[in-house]
């Protein structure tokens, strides 16, 4: 993609420019790391260029520490650090601002590279293996959409989806509206040994176990449907034809 080519161009430049550091910090984690490995960039240089990440991590850690301090109480039941709550709100806002800002800066430099160095970006050849894999995945995706169209799936597949939806909906409503009936009263700073008798399973009340069972049932049913759909998509892809959605009832 143009985005990856622009990233390739910026990361491949010598030294540690502002744009390069911005992408190392604010760029998408996995693609950036993998691209650095594929390009065999200097490990020491990449580690140095990533060091400013501390300015993103520090406000996050500070917010967590302040939230913990705000939950502490004296023996009389008063807040031990009454100022920690308001300050944690400010640091949480700073955390969001810094995290979002790093992505904006990275996107800005990638956009600049795409526009100002368009000829160099376009000169980078597409990776044939990656392109073929993308085309294959896109073909499988279209086949999956075709075979899993509501009018195309058999009745048992529809029932699986319906039961999966009903299970996850019931689980969410139980946890959201009846949380006190699902879980024992326990907070992050409570001791599992003192509050739950040393058994984390005591956190769940009978209705809580029911909500967990419904959640697991929904996941299992969804995976069954997804596995069936993928098998059917592979068969359709192997046949070399794509059946339009309006004719999918013939499947």
């Amino acid at each position: 993609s143009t985005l990856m080519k622009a990233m390739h161009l910026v990361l491949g430049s010598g030294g540690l420019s502002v744009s390069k550091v911005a992408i190392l910090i604010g760029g998408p984690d996995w693609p950036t790391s993998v691209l650095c490995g594929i390009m065999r960039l200097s490990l020491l240089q990449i580690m140095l260029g990533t060091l400013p990440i501390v300015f993103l991590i520090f406000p996050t850690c500070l917010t967590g520490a302040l939230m913990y301090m705000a939950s502490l109480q004296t023996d009389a039941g008063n807040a031990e650090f009454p100022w920690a709550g308001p300050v944690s709100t400010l640091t949480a806002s700073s955390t969001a601002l810094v995290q979002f800002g790093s992505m904006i800066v990275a996107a800005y430099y990638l956009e600049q590279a795409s526009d100002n160095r368009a000829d160099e970006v376009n000169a980078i050849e597409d990776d044939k293996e990656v392109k073929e894999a993308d085309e294959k995945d896109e073909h499988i995706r279209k086949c999956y959409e075709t075979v899993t169209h509501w009018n195309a799936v058999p009745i048992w597949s529809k029932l699986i989806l319906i039961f999966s939806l009903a299970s996850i909906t019931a689980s969410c409503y139980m946890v959201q509206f009846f949380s006190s009936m699902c879980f024992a009263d326990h907070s992050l700073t409570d001791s599992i040994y003192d509050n739950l008798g040393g058994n984390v399973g005591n956190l769940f009340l009978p209705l809580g176990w029911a909500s967990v069972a419904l959640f697991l049932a929904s996941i299992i049913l969804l995976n069954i449907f997804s596995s069936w759909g993928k098998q059917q998509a592979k068969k359709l892809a192997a046949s070399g034809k794509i059946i339009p959605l309006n004719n999918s009832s013939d499947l």
Side-chain angles (χ1 to χ4, degrees), residues 144-158 161 225 228 243-251:
Y144 184 86
E145 290 182 355
T146 300
V147 299
T148 56
H149 190 262
W150 186 254
N151 294 329
V153 298
I155 184 65
W156 68 268
S157 297
K158 293 180 179 179
L161 277 181
F225 177 85
W228 169 83
I243 301 177
L245 293 178
N246 56 0
N247 294 329
S248 58
S249 59
D250 297 334
L251 288 174

Side-chain angles (χ1 to χ4, degrees), residues 66-82:
L66 289 170
M67 291 177 66
Y68 170 74
M69 293 172 65
S71 67
L72 299 178
Q73 295 182 343
T74 62
D75 295 336
N78 299 321
E80 187 172 355
F81 303 99

Side-chain angles (χ1 to χ4, degrees), residues 178-188 190-192 194-197 199-209 211:
F178 306 101
S179 60
S180 61
M181 301 173 63
C182 293
F183 309 105
D185 187 16
H186 185 79
S187 63
L188 181 64
D190 289 336
S191 168
I192 295 177
D194 295 334
N195 197 44
L196 300 176
N199 182 6
V200 70
N202 292 333
L203 177 66
F204 298 90
L205 301 178
L207 192 62
W209 284 114
S211 67

Side-chain angles (χ1 to χ4, degrees), residues 10-62:
V10 175
L11 293 177
S13 60
L16 286 173
S17 62
V18 175
S19 58
K20 190 172 184 177
V21 173
I23 292 173
L24 288 173
I25 295 175
D29 296 339
W30 187 82
T32 303
S33 300
V34 171
L35 185 59
C36 289
I38 293 175
M39 297 174 64
R40 298 189 178 279
L41 299 179
S42 169
L43 178 59
L44 178 61
Q45 186 184 90
I46 297 304
M47 292 179 66
L48 289 174
T50 312
L51 282 179
I53 195 71
V54 67
F55 295 108
L56 275 69
I57 298 175
F58 178 74
T60 305
C61 296
L62 182 61

Side-chain angles (χ1 to χ4, degrees), residues 1-2 5-6 9 113-114 117-126:
S1 64
T2 303
K5 289 182 179 180
L9 197 63
S114 300
R117 305 173 66 180
D119 293 338
E120 296 178 67
V121 171
N122 294 330
I124 300 176
E125 296 183 359
D126 293 331

Side-chain angles (χ1 to χ4, degrees), residues 106-120:
Y108 168 78
Y109 282 111
L110 286 174
E111 185 69 21
Q112 286 288 98
S114 300
D115 293 340
N116 300 336
R117 305 173 66 180
D119 293 338
E120 296 178 67

